[in-house]
Amino acid sequence: MQFPESWLREFCNPALSTDELANVLTMGGFEVEETRPVAPPFTGVVVGEIKSAEQHPNADRLRICQVDVGQGALLNIVCGAANARAGIKVPCATVGAELPPGDDGKPFKIKLGKLRGVESQGMLCSARELHLSDDHEGLLELPADTPLGQDIRTALNLDDTVFTLKLTPNLGHALSVYGVARELSALTGAPLLTPTFAPVPVQAEDVVPVKISAPDLCGRFSGRVIRHVNTQAKTPAWMVDRLARCGQRSVSPLVDISNYVMFELGRPSHIFDLDKIHGGLEVRWARPGEQLKLLNGNTVALDESVGVIADEREVESLAGIMGGDATAVSDDTRNVYVEAAFWWPEAVAGLSRRFNFATDAGHRFERGVDPDGTATHIEHISRLILDICGTPETVCGPVDDQQPNMPQPKPVTLRVARAAKVIGMPLTQAQCADVFLRLQLPFVEGEGVLTITPPAYRFDITIEEDLIEEVARLIGYQNLPETAPLAPIEPRVRSEALRGRFEPRHTLAALGYLETINFSFVEEAWERSLAGNTDPVRLLNPIASQMSVMRSTLLGSLLQVVKRNVDRRADRIRVFEIGRVFRRDPSVQTGDGAVRGVAQPMRVAGAIYGPARQQGWSGKQTPADFFDAKGDVEALLSPRKAVFQADSHPALHPGRTARVIVDGQPVGYVGELHPRWRQQWDLPQAPVLFELALDAVLSHPLPTAVPLPRQQPVERDVAVVVKESVTHDQLMGSLRNAPVADLVRSATLFDIYRPKPGADAAGGANLGIDEKSLAVRLVLDGGQETLTDERIETAVQSVLAQWQADVGARLRG
């Protein structure tokens, strides 16, 4: 919304400069987006009157004008404008005047010169030459009563400023110059001049019958017949200027009057050609199949959701939006019907966007227009019509005012204590009462409360928070106390026992993995098949039907990445992701970053697919398998030692899956994708996946100092025969239970021997068909004590005895 500062100051004129005025409006909630001068700087241009205009003897298109600028002697000025003629007043740039800069950016200075041999003592100016408009058809003609010799800036009020306001949708009551002035008066305390409109004399009894069939569309409808108007009259220059400074071009006197009142008071109205109305008018909802040709030339199809004004034959106007072409006023119009109505905002909202155009009337009605002013504003419009388009025969009929469904304001209560808490500063009841007095909001006081009855034009006041906002902005946002937040500040220093959060990324990148980032919401089928989760955390408003639940595992996201790359002919894939998973856990309580009943741990997961190594000269590439992924997991957890136990997982192969255990606690899984899911995802080769708790990966035990042994360690190789069912893990677990386990620094399996089928048992190292030989290298360390042969032998025999007791092992012969 834009308007000139001078028009605003006619209603409210605080002792503030232009910049201070803009700041007050902005801090009061009415953002001033831009201020710009009406005209650029220029000097030496005065009001001149052409006394005579004679043809130039040496040029067909030039005239020699004698111009009076109030200096006594007439100026001889050569002019080429087509409308240069005797008797008109125009801007005259005298010798020494500086006009606005041209295309070169430099001011244009008027000098004494000659045109085709005739001396010219100045220049007569058009609106374009003064940068007032783009009109360059001729000289800018001034009203006949403009004082002769007066500076043109004073005569045309060119030292004015145009304000452009960026209003929020709740400020419909400020979509007029008077509405902004009303708020400015409340903000500054300056007096507000409220205009009054005396009724025009009623000299006829003509009334257009109006039937309101839709009170949910129209709450009040006022109209008046005015006969014998002169629609070819000229709109006064002062009205044209004000409309132009509001961004509205002059169209015709009747249209200009309607627009002027809308910008002045916020009252959209419509003027019909009375002779084009067939019978009476009906305010109703449109009927399916009806059409209307609008003033902008568009023809729109109507239905029962669109409000209209119709006569006995056809639809004549789109209610609250735009009039119809059939009843538009023209130069031939002699009799008019002036209409001002209150349209319910809900009935008008969105219609402009539906028909792909916007109007100033629709913009105001969908935000709410004062229903109390329709009849009063018709009196104002009528007076302007009489003054501008009136003739000796002009007569006005009575105002027909119907009020079938006026809005009933509902009282809203403000609790002073609540307002103080929300605003964040101490408030008294007297302060709140003063705010509502300045805003002209009637109220009743109680003990710690004020009950306000919003006036008809304040559609934005419906709840207590609306009143709190009014109190805050009238007190002044700049006056709110600046209170620093009071909270304990505890530095979050990372423990030395934890790795940095980027270290796992660097480790995996060094192993050849690429990081992926995926959505935390996934398909519900993934949760059932890959995580065995039958009750996932569901989204209330998913962005897509296939993303309806929160993931409890990262494996589905990684498989999707693998599948996408395989489909694009990628033969070797190494990807990982570090992200949060979500699973139900009743023990979780709401807290800092936590939601009751939902655990949100961080996980790190990876997937490998294709050859174990990049193509090289070494020959055939072997596919990556469980042990490649196991080695990457060990590198990721290093220096902590992980134990891998055979286990099962819904997403992984039942015979090629291991649970990862660190310090006796399970931290994740590693394994090959289950054949069922490999077939379902249509993968030529089974990828190997792992998923670990990020906390376990970040844990980094601090090194501890231990004394160096005084003696070298002793190695002993022991080969034992065990049943085929005995695993390496069982053998090592039994070793840890031996009485001399503190002497054993390490135990490494370095050979497995199984007899060939059909071989002689005796010749085959005395092994049975269901037996195997395991060769283990024991490293014994006595610390600070010397290991004697007897002690070494005792230790080895103790280990063999423990193995025999636990797994039935015997020494290989």
Side-chain angles (χ1 to χ4, degrees):
M1 174 189 172
Q2 68 179 54
F3 55 86
E5 179 185 358
S6 59
W7 198 1
L8 176 66
R9 288 186 182 272
E10 287 186 6
F11 293 109
C12 181
N13 189 14
L16 301 172
S17 67
T18 298
D19 290 340
E20 291 171 337
L21 183 61
N23 182 65
V24 166
L25 288 174
T26 298
M27 295 307 296
F30 304 87
E31 180 185 354
V32 178
E33 194 172 29
E34 178 190 23
T35 58
R36 58 178 176 83
V38 169
F42 59 82
T43 59
V45 182
V46 298
V47 178
E49 182 179 0
I50 301 177
K51 294 297 185 180
S52 66
E54 305 293 338
Q55 182 66 42
H56 194 291
N58 300 323
D60 294 338
R61 296 187 178 182
L62 297 180
R63 291 180 175 83
I64 303 173
C65 301
Q66 299 297 312
V67 182
D68 183 5
V69 294
Q71 298 177 353
L74 299 181
L75 300 180
N76 191 72
I77 299 178
V78 179
C79 178
N83 65 335
R85 64 188 186 277
I88 64 172
K89 291 184 177 180
V90 295
C92 177
T94 58
V95 174
E98 286 192 358
L99 297 187
D103 295 336
D104 58 357
K106 298 179 180 179
F108 182 66
K109 192 168 185 178
I110 303 299
K111 300 178 181 179
L112 187 66
K114 287 187 177 182
L115 289 175
R116 296 292 183 94
V118 177
E119 186 178 62
S120 183
Q121 299 171 324
M123 174 181 173
L124 303 182
C125 303
S126 68
R128 185 175 185 180
E129 288 163 338
L130 297 179
H131 289 196
L132 301 181
S133 73
D134 293 331
D135 182 13
H136 62 285
E137 296 298 326
L139 300 177
L140 174 61
E141 297 187 29
L142 305 175
D145 58 352
T146 308
L148 196 65
Q150 186 179 37
D151 190 299
I152 197 69
R153 301 192 71 89
T154 303
L156 298 181
N157 191 22
L158 298 182
D159 292 323
D160 200 359
T161 302
V162 173
F163 279 58
T164 301
L165 267 58
K166 186 177 181 181
L167 300 179
T168 52
N170 64 310
L171 299 177
H173 61 282
L175 285 170
S176 65
V177 178
Y178 177 72
V180 175
R182 183 170 52 207
E183 293 294 329
L184 181 61
S185 174
L187 291 167
T188 62
L192 174 68
L193 176 61
T194 302
T196 57
F197 309 107
V200 300
V202 176
Q203 299 169 319
E205 299 300 326
D206 294 358
V207 174
V208 174
V210 177
K211 177 183 178 183
I212 301 179
S213 302
D216 55 338
L217 166 66
C218 178
R220 184 175 184 179
F221 193 95
S222 305
R224 160 176 274 167
V225 173
I226 304 179
R227 292 189 178 274
H228 309 300
V229 296
N230 176 20
T231 56
Q232 298 186 29
K234 188 173 182 180
T235 305
W238 60 268
M239 182 177 287
V240 173
D241 287 343
R242 281 190 170 175
L243 289 174
R245 294 175 190 184
C246 290
Q248 178 68 49
R249 66 180 181 87
S250 175
V251 179
S252 67
L254 291 175
V255 175
D256 291 346
I257 289 170
S258 179
N259 287 334
Y260 179 84
V261 174
M262 178 180 67
F263 287 119
E264 181 184 31
L265 304 173
R267 167 65 58 197
S269 59
H270 187 62
I271 301 178
F272 296 83
D273 188 326
L274 180 63
D275 299 325
K276 296 178 182 178
I277 297 177
H278 309 99
L281 296 176
E282 182 183 6
V283 179
R284 59 175 173 82
W285 296 105
R287 302 183 181 105
E290 288 184 322
Q291 291 186 331
L292 173 63
K293 184 178 181 181
L294 299 169
L295 289 174
N296 61 6
N298 294 347
T299 299
V300 295
L302 309 175
D303 57 35
E304 60 273 6
S305 65
V306 180
V308 297
I309 303 175
D311 60 17
E312 294 178 356
R313 294 188 186 179
E314 58 188 350
V315 175
E316 301 295 359
S317 177
L318 202 59
I321 304 295
M322 184 181 289
D325 181 69
T327 54
V329 295
S330 65
D331 290 345
D332 298 328
T333 298
R334 292 295 173 263
N335 307 306
V336 298
Y337 179 73
V338 182
E339 165 262 314
F342 165 67
W343 306 101
W344 284 97
E346 297 82 1
V348 180
L351 288 182
S352 295
R353 292 179 291 277
R354 170 181 171 181
F355 294 122
N356 201 27
F357 64 84
T359 64
D360 288 324
H363 184 74
R364 285 162 172 79
F365 277 123
E366 67 183 6
R367 285 159 173 77
V369 175
D370 183 6
D372 289 345
T374 56
T376 305
H377 294 167
I378 281 187
E379 296 289 357
H380 184 33
I381 296 171
S382 302
R383 174 55 62 188
L384 291 173
I385 292 176
L386 291 177
D387 292 344
I388 297 172
C389 303
T391 66
E393 295 81 21
T394 302
V395 294
C396 295
V399 175
D400 176 32
D401 186 21
Q402 301 185 47
Q403 305 180 26
N405 186 20
M406 290 287 284
Q408 302 298 323
K410 296 181 179 180
V412 182
T413 298
L414 172 75
R415 294 166 291 173
V416 177
R418 170 67 176 166
K421 181 178 180 181
V422 171
I423 296 175
M425 66 178 289
L427 284 177
T428 65
Q429 189 164 328
Q431 285 178 294
C432 297
D434 178 64
V435 167
F436 299 139
L437 283 174
R438 289 158 59 187
L439 289 170
Q440 302 178 17
L441 301 178
F443 62 90
V444 176
E445 291 194 60
E447 185 64 33
V449 298
L450 296 95
T451 301
I452 290 83
T453 302
Y457 58 85
R458 291 303 298 266
F459 288 84
D460 59 315
I461 298 179
T462 57
I463 58 176
E464 184 179 23
E465 282 70 16
D466 297 327
L467 296 176
I468 295 175
E469 180 184 4
E470 298 299 298
V471 172
R473 70 182 185 88
L474 263 292
I475 289 177
Y477 297 121
Q478 68 276 13
N479 295 323
L480 298 182
E482 297 180 1
T483 304
L486 299 177
I489 300 177
E490 298 179 0
R492 294 187 176 182
V493 180
R494 178 168 55 88
S495 170
E496 293 183 6
L498 294 176
R499 290 187 175 95
R501 59 192 181 94
F502 286 103
E503 285 194 32
R505 292 178 169 89
H506 295 160
T507 300
L508 289 168
L511 294 171
Y513 287 75
L514 297 176
E515 184 174 9
T516 68
I517 300 175
N518 301 289
F519 284 119
S520 294
F521 21 89
V522 297
E523 295 185 34
E524 185 175 358
W526 293 4
E527 284 297 297
R528 290 195 304 268
S529 59
L530 300 178
N533 185 6
T534 58
D535 186 22
V537 178
R538 301 183 183 277
L539 294 172
L540 295 178
N541 187 24
I543 62 173
S545 59
Q546 69 273 21
M547 295 182 174
S548 58
V549 301
M550 304 299 291
R551 64 185 180 182
S552 63
T553 177
L554 304 181
L555 299 184
S557 301
L558 290 180
L559 281 176
Q560 185 182 39
V561 174
V562 171
K563 173 63 176 174
R564 180 177 177 84
N565 283 272
V566 168
D567 291 345
R568 284 153 181 78
R569 304 182 66 83
D571 59 347
R572 187 174 186 273
I573 302 167
R574 299 289 187 278
V575 291
F576 78 94
E577 181 180 5
I578 296 177
R580 198 173 298 279
V581 298
F582 305 83
R583 54 183 176 79
R584 298 191 183 279
D585 186 349
S587 64
V588 177
Q589 300 299 319
T590 301
D592 184 14
V595 178
R596 183 168 59 88
V598 179
Q600 305 177 47
M602 293 289 292
R603 300 279 179 81
V604 54
I608 60 177
Y609 176 90
R613 294 174 180 79
Q614 296 281 7
Q615 178 68 52
W617 59 269
S618 57
K620 182 180 179 181
Q621 295 174 290
T622 57
D625 58 16
F626 170 88
F627 295 100
D628 293 298
K630 175 176 175 290
D632 293 342
V633 169
E634 289 176 329
L636 191 59
L637 293 171
S638 178
R640 304 174 74 191
K641 299 297 183 181
V643 176
F644 298 85
Q645 291 182 352
D647 206 334
S648 61
H649 189 279
L652 304 178
H653 194 293
R656 301 174 186 176
T657 300
R659 179 190 292 267
V660 183
I661 299 175
V662 177
D663 296 335
Q665 298 296 322
V667 298
Y669 286 88
V670 58
E672 185 179 297
L673 183 64
H674 197 291
R676 181 195 310 162
W677 311 133
R678 170 189 169 186
Q679 182 179 8
Q680 181 174 318
W681 289 71
D682 194 21
L683 295 172
Q685 178 182 328
V688 184
L689 307 103
F690 64 85
E691 183 173 18
L692 307 172
L694 184 61
D695 291 344
V697 177
L698 296 180
S699 179
H700 181 70
L702 296 177
T704 56
V706 295
L708 294 174
R710 298 180 58 186
Q711 308 295 332
Q712 291 185 347
V714 176
E715 296 181 358
R716 288 291 186 269
D717 293 344
V718 179
V720 293
V721 177
V722 296
K723 294 291 185 180
E724 185 65 38
S725 60
V726 175
T727 64
H728 170 265
D729 185 63
Q730 291 175 324
L731 193 68
M732 295 298 109
S734 175
L735 175 62
R736 287 190 290 271
N737 295 328
V740 293
D742 56 327
L743 291 180
V744 181
R745 179 190 294 181
S746 65
T748 306
L749 176 70
F750 65 88
D751 181 63
I752 300 177
Y753 173 76
R754 293 182 177 89
K756 296 180 180 179
D760 184 7
N766 198 26
L767 269 68
I769 299 299
D770 61 342
E771 292 181 328
K772 60 185 176 182
S773 171
L774 301 179
V776 180
R777 177 164 297 163
L778 301 177
V779 178
L780 306 178
D781 183 2
Q784 302 302 316
E785 300 179 2
T786 302
L787 288 177
T788 62
D789 290 340
E790 293 80 4
R791 192 175 179 185
I792 294 172
E793 183 64 25
T794 301
V796 172
Q797 292 300 323
S798 176
V799 169
L800 291 174
Q802 188 69 41
W803 279 346
Q804 183 178 10
D806 292 342
V807 297
R810 69 177 187 275
L811 188 64
R812 179 178 170 184

